[in-house]
Amino acid sequence: MTNASKLYQFINCKILRNHRIVKEDIWVRDGKIVNPERIFYDEKISADVKIDCKGLLLAPGFIELQINGGYGYDFSFIENTEAGIELVSKKLLEHGVIAYCPTVVTSPVDVYHTVLPKLYPRQGGAHGATILGAHVEGPFINKEKKGAHPANCILDYQNGISELERVYGRLDNIKIITLAPEFSNSSSVIQELKKRNVIVSLGHSTADLLEGEEALEAGASLITHLFNAMLPFHHRDPGLVGLLASDKITQEKKIFFGIIPDGIHTHPAALRIAYRVHPDGLIMVTDAISAAGLNEGQHKIGQLDIEIRDNKAFIAGTNTLCGSIATMSECVRNFMKATGCSPEYALESASLHPAQALGIEDQKGTLNFGADADFIMLDETFEIVSTWISGQLVYNRTTDL
Ligand code: ZN
C-alpha cells in the first residue's frame, strides 16, 4: 500500500511510454507519475520505497467506454443499487480496467431518471475503477438498426436538446451519448451536446457518409461499435464505416471508433480493415453484458433466462447469442492475434486512444510525467498480474508484490 507524499520507485520493469516498450523505472508521488531527473537534481532525494516488478511489463491501465454491466448486474436496471455498481467497479480491476463509462441502453424515461443520478463520476481506488460518467446508448437511435434495444422506447430529437434533457434528466453525469445522426435537427443537437462537454458517438444508425460527415462537422467525434448496427460498407456510399477514410477528418476534427474484438462480434478480417485504415482512431470496447463474469450454466438476469456455454452467452435453451462477455484483457489478446499488431499498439488502443477520445490524455491513458499513476502489470502472455490506481495496489493476482 502506498501513502501520499512518499516517493515510490518501481524498478526492474519494462514500461510502455510514447508507443514504445522501454526498460525504465517509474517514479510515483502523491498518486502521480513524476520526473526522476527533477528529483535527482532539484530535490536531491531518493525513493522512500522501492517496488520490484520482477521484469513485468508496466502499461497504462485500460479505459472502457462501453460496458453494460457484469456479474449479473446491469447498469440499465431500474432497481440497480449502489452495491451493484460497486461490485462491477471492483471486479473490473481484475481485468486491468482503471476507469470506465457504465453504459445504459435504450430504456423508458423513468429508468434514466432513476439510474443516471447513481452513475455519477467518482475517483477509483481499492474499492473499484474510476467512473468517468455514463455512456447512454439510445434512445435517440434508428429503429431499423436497433439491435437488441427495445423498439417501443426509441425516441426522436425533433424538439432539439430540450427533448434530450427531458428524457435523460440532467446531463451532468453523462460522458457519451450514442445517437443516430440521420434525422433533422441533428447538427444543432450535436452542437448543444458538445457545448455541454458530452461526447457524441454515432451508432445504431442508417446514416450515409454525408450524414456522418455533417455530424462530424457539428462536433461528433466517436463511432459506436464499428460495423455493428450500421449500414454495411458499400463502395458508392460507404456509410459510417466510410468516416474512417473521410477527407473531412483533420487534426481538429478527429474521429475515434469503438470496436468489439471479443472474437465473435467482429470478424478478424473486419478488425484488420479498421486497424489498417485508421489505426489512430481505434478503441477497444468489450460492450460486455450483465452475464459477463458469471460461471458456466443457467442464470436469470432481470426477466431474461440466459446460459453461459463455452465462454459465450446464449438465451437459455437456444443458440442465440445475447451479447459479449469478454474482458478487456481478452480483447487485447484477441486483437493482437487477429491483426498481428504490436503489443504497444494493442495496449494503447485500450488506454491512450479512449483517453484521447474523452480529452483526458493529460491524466489517463499514458505513463507520462504528471499523469495519474493508474497502471497495470502484465506477464509475457499479456495476462493481468496487478492493477494500480493513484500509485496504490488495487488488485493483485498473486500475493508476492
Ligand atoms: Zn449497441
Side-chain angles (χ1 to χ4, degrees), residues 66 137 149 204 225:
Q66 188 164 9
E137 196 191 8
H149 292 230
H204 288 273
H225 45 55

PDB file of all heavy atoms in Angstrom, residues 66 137 149 204 225, ligand 1:
ATOM      1  N   GLN A  66     -17.522   1.317 -23.131  1.00  0.00           N
ATOM      2  CA  GLN A  66     -18.840   0.712 -23.374  1.00  0.00           C
ATOM      3  C   GLN A  66     -18.957  -0.622 -22.656  1.00  0.00           C
ATOM      4  O   GLN A  66     -18.485  -1.650 -23.125  1.00  0.00           O
ATOM      5  CB  GLN A  66     -19.088   0.555 -24.876  1.00  0.00           C
ATOM      6  CG  GLN A  66     -20.508   0.115 -25.150  1.00  0.00           C
ATOM      7  CD  GLN A  66     -20.937   0.312 -26.589  1.00  0.00           C
ATOM      8  OE1 GLN A  66     -20.129   0.639 -27.448  1.00  0.00           O
ATOM      9  NE2 GLN A  66     -22.207   0.115 -26.853  1.00  0.00           N
ATOM     10  N   GLU A 137     -26.544   4.853 -24.537  1.00  0.00           N
ATOM     11  CA  GLU A 137     -26.628   4.350 -25.907  1.00  0.00           C
ATOM     12  C   GLU A 137     -28.109   4.313 -26.259  1.00  0.00           C
ATOM     13  O   GLU A 137     -28.832   3.421 -25.863  1.00  0.00           O
ATOM     14  CB  GLU A 137     -25.995   2.962 -25.957  1.00  0.00           C
ATOM     15  CG  GLU A 137     -25.671   2.510 -27.351  1.00  0.00           C
ATOM     16  CD  GLU A 137     -25.306   1.037 -27.399  1.00  0.00           C
ATOM     17  OE1 GLU A 137     -25.446   0.334 -26.399  1.00  0.00           O
ATOM     18  OE2 GLU A 137     -24.892   0.602 -28.486  1.00  0.00           O
ATOM     19  N   HIS A 149     -31.952  -3.334 -28.734  1.00  0.00           N
ATOM     20  CA  HIS A 149     -32.640  -2.278 -27.980  1.00  0.00           C
ATOM     21  C   HIS A 149     -34.161  -2.387 -28.171  1.00  0.00           C
ATOM     22  O   HIS A 149     -34.629  -2.680 -29.275  1.00  0.00           O
ATOM     23  CB  HIS A 149     -32.172  -0.891 -28.450  1.00  0.00           C
ATOM     24  CG  HIS A 149     -30.747  -0.604 -28.095  1.00  0.00           C
ATOM     25  ND1 HIS A 149     -30.356   0.555 -27.475  1.00  0.00           N
ATOM     26  CD2 HIS A 149     -29.613  -1.325 -28.275  1.00  0.00           C
ATOM     27  CE1 HIS A 149     -29.048   0.537 -27.290  1.00  0.00           C
ATOM     28  NE2 HIS A 149     -28.573  -0.589 -27.774  1.00  0.00           N
ATOM     29  N   HIS A 204     -26.059   2.799 -34.102  1.00  0.00           N
ATOM     30  CA  HIS A 204     -27.427   2.288 -34.283  1.00  0.00           C
ATOM     31  C   HIS A 204     -28.142   3.174 -35.302  1.00  0.00           C
ATOM     32  O   HIS A 204     -29.159   3.790 -35.009  1.00  0.00           O
ATOM     33  CB  HIS A 204     -28.168   2.213 -32.945  1.00  0.00           C
ATOM     34  CG  HIS A 204     -27.659   1.105 -32.071  1.00  0.00           C
ATOM     35  ND1 HIS A 204     -28.127  -0.178 -32.154  1.00  0.00           N
ATOM     36  CD2 HIS A 204     -26.688   1.088 -31.129  1.00  0.00           C
ATOM     37  CE1 HIS A 204     -27.474  -0.948 -31.287  1.00  0.00           C
ATOM     38  NE2 HIS A 204     -26.599  -0.202 -30.662  1.00  0.00           N
ATOM     39  N   HIS A 225     -19.384   0.962 -31.626  1.00  0.00           N
ATOM     40  CA  HIS A 225     -19.109  -0.399 -32.121  1.00  0.00           C
ATOM     41  C   HIS A 225     -19.163  -0.492 -33.656  1.00  0.00           C
ATOM     42  O   HIS A 225     -20.126  -0.995 -34.235  1.00  0.00           O
ATOM     43  CB  HIS A 225     -19.957  -1.487 -31.453  1.00  0.00           C
ATOM     44  CG  HIS A 225     -21.418  -1.246 -31.261  1.00  0.00           C
ATOM     45  ND1 HIS A 225     -22.255  -0.923 -32.292  1.00  0.00           N
ATOM     46  CD2 HIS A 225     -22.194  -1.313 -30.159  1.00  0.00           C
ATOM     47  CE1 HIS A 225     -23.486  -0.806 -31.835  1.00  0.00           C
ATOM     48  NE2 HIS A 225     -23.464  -1.024 -30.532  1.00  0.00           N
TER      49      HIS A 225
HETATM   50 ZN    ZN B   1     -25.124  -1.078 -29.334  1.00  0.00          ZN
END
